[in-house]
Amino acid sequence: MKLFGQKLPDEVAKRVPPGQRLVKTWPVLQYGPVPAAEGSEWTLEVSGLVEDPFTLTYDELKALGPQDVTADMHCVTGWSTLDNTWTGIPFRVLAERAKPTPEVKWVIAHCEHGYTSDLSMEAMLDDDVLVAWAHGGQDLTPEHGYPLRLVVPKRYAWKSAKWLRGLEFSKHNKRGFWEVRGYHIHADPWREERYSYQEGPRAELEP
Ligand SMILES: Nc1nc2c(c(=O)[nH]1)N[C@H]1C(S)=C(S)[C@@H](COP(=O)(O)O)O[C@H]1N2
Ligand SMILES: [Mo]
């Protein structure tokens, strides 16, 4: 595989999923406008089928104990970036606090302006899933999701929802913004799960 006309070393090439290419800069991608938001007024609501629903301010969330994750990013339009360092709270910490009931199988990310994305609990419980506020040691810029975004490195990046307002635990799947427009509910780049027609007939019932 080539990067900017040069052959990639094998150890780099093998980190790029099928049908993807590395890009030099970090593209900005979203549907709709970038919200003008202030961290001081931002809250994250954790809701749905949980024993202990809660809402945190930006400062309360950050005080839960930040962790860094270094991860690759793969957009379904074809670009990938490697070794992004994110700072945030692991999703697992939020789930442990909320205590989802045993029938929960899905998590719905809710964002400013109504954007949503659905993720299986299994995908969310990976230890590299973060609710993040920084990238490369700097606060996110507005176009990359300030104040808060979800980061799910092992799924195509439309599931790394920017301007995250809430996480809803659910028994049933609720297809998100791109998932109702023909994109895959699981979206594993290594399996090239791009489109909903690739889903099995029972995919939504058996994540
Ligand atoms: N709220 C929201 N989050 C979103 C999107 C969006 O349209 N709205 N687009 C997604 C897509 S398609 C991608 S590739 C990534 C891109 O993140 P970046 O702009 O920080 O590179 O954000 C994802 N998160
Ligand atoms: Mo994307």
Side-chain angles (χ1 to χ4, degrees):
M1 174 178 272
K2 287 184 168 184
L3 172 66
F4 325 126
Q6 292 190 317
K7 196 175 181 307
L8 286 182
D10 285 350
E11 64 272 21
V12 177
K14 73 178 186 218
R15 294 173 58 191
V16 182
Q20 296 293 113
R21 64 184 183 280
L22 286 187
V23 292
K24 216 187 302 191
T25 55
W26 186 13
V28 171
L29 223 105
Q30 74 266 333
Y31 178 83
V34 173
E38 276 304 323
S40 56
E41 288 158 21
W42 201 260
T43 56
L44 180 76
E45 183 185 5
V46 178
S47 66
L49 282 185
V50 296
E51 283 176 37
D52 296 323
F54 60 90
T55 299
L56 298 174
T57 66
Y58 201 45
D59 287 343
E60 286 168 342
L61 178 83
K62 289 179 163 188
L64 293 182
Q67 290 189 23
D68 287 348
V69 163
T70 300
D72 305 339
M73 185 170 187
H74 311 292
C75 171
V76 73
T77 62
W79 58 264
S80 293
T81 59
L82 303 183
D83 295 324
N84 300 281
T85 307
W86 303 97
T87 307
I89 302 299
F91 169 78
R92 281 183 179 195
V93 170
L94 301 173
E96 275 162 24
R97 175 162 170 167
K99 301 191 195 74
T101 63
E103 64 264 48
V104 167
K105 290 215 159 59
W106 295 90
V107 179
I108 317 302
H110 292 269
C111 302
E112 196 77 340
H113 301 320
Y115 185 89
T116 59
S117 189
D118 52 314
L119 290 128
S120 68
M121 248 320 239
E122 200 186 332
M124 288 297 277
L125 287 173
D126 205 324
D127 55 14
D128 59 2
V129 176
L130 285 186
V131 172
W133 57 82
H135 177 275
Q138 308 279 328
D139 269 358
L140 293 170
T141 57
E143 60 270 24
H144 285 302
Y146 174 85
L148 273 189
R149 77 179 295 166
L150 188 63
V151 179
V152 188
K154 296 201 186 76
R155 297 293 180 258
Y156 284 118
W158 81 78
K159 292 189 179 278
S160 289
K162 302 192 279 191
W163 313 297
L164 184 70
R165 284 287 196 183
L167 294 167
E168 177 197 353
F169 289 82
S170 178
K171 177 177 179 182
H172 302 291
N173 189 23
K174 301 175 192 175
R175 302 186 78 95
F177 181 88
W178 287 115
E179 292 83 1
V180 298
R181 288 166 175 78
Y183 287 88
H184 202 288
I185 51 174
H186 294 308
D188 178 346
W190 290 99
R191 302 173 71 170
E192 272 209 271
E193 293 171 335
R194 296 175 190 268
Y195 307 112
S196 51
Y197 66 73
Q198 299 170 277
E199 293 166 12
R202 292 177 57 79
E204 309 214 8
L205 303 172
E206 296 166 5

